[in-house]
Amino acid sequence: MADEVVKKKGAMSVSEAGRKGGQTVRDKYGHSFYEEIGRKGGETVKAERGRSFYEQIGKKGGDTVKAERGAGFYEAIGKKGGDAVKAERGTPFYEEIGKKGGHKVRQLIEEGKKAANEAKPVAAREEDVPSVGGEVLPAASEE
């Protein structure tokens, strides 16, 4: 009979015990508790190791998955995710985000051109007109 007690006591594996404890915590504090402690832990790691740490471990993980499953795996999961979004939100969603992306690209191009123009020296700006012989003549002054 003493052997039965020992078997019952040691019958649960470590993973089963962890799962049981996790379910107890979830039932007591709710799902949002895990979100909160995960966020706090992430902020602590970011403060200690910096953003580059996440880039580094993300690349390691991506390289491992690529080595195990091949580059085609990413194509497959991308298509699967795109199909799921299309089924959930429909094609108008893609039209909307495409327009937003196009507007953002146009804005960034304009800002880039403006910054590049402001960075040019005065002699190289559009006001200076090259003559027929190739020499640059200063623009007429606005006096």
Side-chain angles (χ1 to χ4, degrees):
M1 185 154 203
D3 289 339
E4 286 179 9
V5 172
V6 172
K7 285 182 181 177
K8 286 182 181 178
K9 188 176 184 180
M12 187 181 296
S13 71
V14 173
S15 62
E16 289 172 327
R19 189 175 309 109
K20 186 175 181 184
Q23 289 171 345
T24 302
V25 171
R26 182 197 63 209
D27 294 344
K28 186 174 182 179
Y29 297 108
H31 178 76
S32 61
F33 171 75
Y34 288 106
E35 293 174 354
E36 185 179 340
I37 62 171
R39 183 182 42 75
K40 286 181 180 179
E43 288 173 358
T44 301
V45 170
K46 183 179 175 185
E48 289 175 358
R49 299 183 180 208
R51 177 186 167 143
S52 63
F53 171 74
Y54 286 109
E55 293 172 1
Q56 194 176 30
I57 63 172
K59 180 157 178 23
K60 279 184 181 179
D63 289 345
T64 301
V65 171
K66 185 178 177 181
E68 289 176 357
R69 299 180 180 231
F73 171 73
Y74 290 107
E75 289 179 28
I77 63 172
K79 173 131 178 56
K80 187 176 181 181
D83 290 343
V85 170
K86 183 178 177 182
E88 184 180 316
R89 298 185 176 207
T91 52
F93 171 72
Y94 287 104
E95 293 171 5
E96 181 184 336
I97 64 172
K99 285 179 185 174
K100 286 181 180 178
H103 290 299
K104 183 68 173 175
V105 168
R106 187 179 312 118
Q107 177 188 358
L108 291 171
I109 290 171
E110 289 172 3
E111 289 174 6
K113 287 180 179 179
K114 182 179 178 185
N117 195 30
E118 289 174 356
K120 285 183 183 179
V122 175
R125 291 206 178 145
E126 295 172 2
E127 300 92 59
D128 298 332
V129 183
S131 69
V132 178
E135 61 191 79
V136 177
L137 302 172
S141 64
E142 298 176 20
E143 293 177 31

